[in-house]
């Protein structure tokens, strides 16, 4: 990925530590930039281990990654205050959604979302969003029922 300065229209010269094979094979799925622009999160659906990771946008260095997830990571989303990262991992007939502490990389909470669908694309979460007040998470995708979780 490349960052651009929107005030100048010029590329920010930072090299991100992302496995070249991931980038060249288009295995990077979800990406999100923290509200303050200091962190970049991405998810993978590599043929092997799938994970989510956070990079420092000033240095391009990986700060942490989730380690192998059970299923393909399709979405990552920062909370509005930048304190949390949500990630989804889809597999046959269930999704795992995790909430991570951005500063430490510790998994705070994990939900499993079972569903009944025979459609081949039902494992692809397409939408993941925090509510404006940060109290809920919304998940949805093609052939997947909408789910809303309370973070209380």
């Amino acid at each position: 990925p490349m960052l651009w300065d929107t005030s100048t229209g010029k590329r920010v010269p930072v090299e991100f530590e992302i496995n070249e094979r991931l980038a060249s094979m288009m295995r990077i799925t979800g990406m999100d930039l923290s509200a303050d622009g200091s962190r970049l999160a991405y998810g993978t659906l590599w043929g092997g281990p799938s994970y989510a990771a956070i990079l420092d946008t000033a240095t391009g260095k990986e700060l942490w990654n989730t380690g192998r997830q059970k299923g393909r990571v399709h979405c990552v989303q920062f909370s509005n205050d930048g304190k949390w990262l949500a990630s989804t991992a889809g597999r046959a007939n269930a999704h795992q959604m995790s909430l991570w502490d951005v500063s430490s990389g510790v998994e705070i909470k994990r939900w499993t979302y079972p569903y009944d669908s025979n459609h081949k694309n039902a494992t692809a979460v397409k939408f993941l969003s925090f509510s404006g007040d940060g109290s809920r998470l919304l998940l949805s995708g093609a052939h997947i029922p909408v789910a809303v979780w309370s973070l209380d």
Side-chain angles (χ1 to χ4, degrees):
M2 292 183 273
L3 286 181
W4 299 84
D5 184 326
T6 57
S7 63
T8 66
K10 294 185 179 180
R11 183 174 178 238
V12 177
V14 62
E15 296 291 325
F16 288 100
E17 285 184 354
I18 295 179
N19 181 307
E20 192 62 38
R21 186 169 175 213
L22 285 176
S24 66
M25 294 180 68
M26 297 186 295
R27 296 293 190 198
I28 296 173
T29 51
M31 290 189 113
D32 194 30
L33 190 62
S34 63
D36 67 2
S38 67
R39 305 285 185 258
L40 175 71
Y42 70 93
T44 72
L45 50 83
W46 188 318
S50 294
Y51 59 90
I54 292 185
L55 305 172
D56 182 302
T57 58
T59 65
K61 303 279 186 212
E62 182 177 288
L63 300 174
W64 58 265
N65 72 57
T66 61
R68 186 182 183 119
Q69 298 292 288
K70 293 182 179 178
R72 295 177 171 191
V73 175
H74 287 276
C75 289
V76 293
Q77 181 74 44
F78 283 104
S79 60
N80 297 334
D81 61 8
K83 185 177 178 180
W84 311 111
L85 179 76
S87 68
T88 64
R91 60 187 192 272
N93 298 324
H95 285 285
Q96 170 185 307
M97 187 163 73
S98 297
L99 186 65
W100 307 89
D101 181 291
V102 168
S103 61
S104 67
V106 172
E107 186 177 40
I108 302 301
K109 204 169 207 177
R110 178 183 293 186
W111 298 269
T112 300
Y113 174 39
Y115 58 88
D116 186 19
S117 176
N118 293 323
H119 198 281
K120 67 179 182 176
N121 293 323
T123 61
V125 173
K126 297 294 184 188
F127 308 102
L128 179 63
S129 182
F130 282 88
S131 62
D133 66 1
S135 67
R136 293 183 188 92
L137 270 167
L138 173 111
L139 172 149
S140 185
H143 311 285
I144 300 170
V146 173
V148 179
W149 282 273
S150 174
L151 300 179
D152 299 331

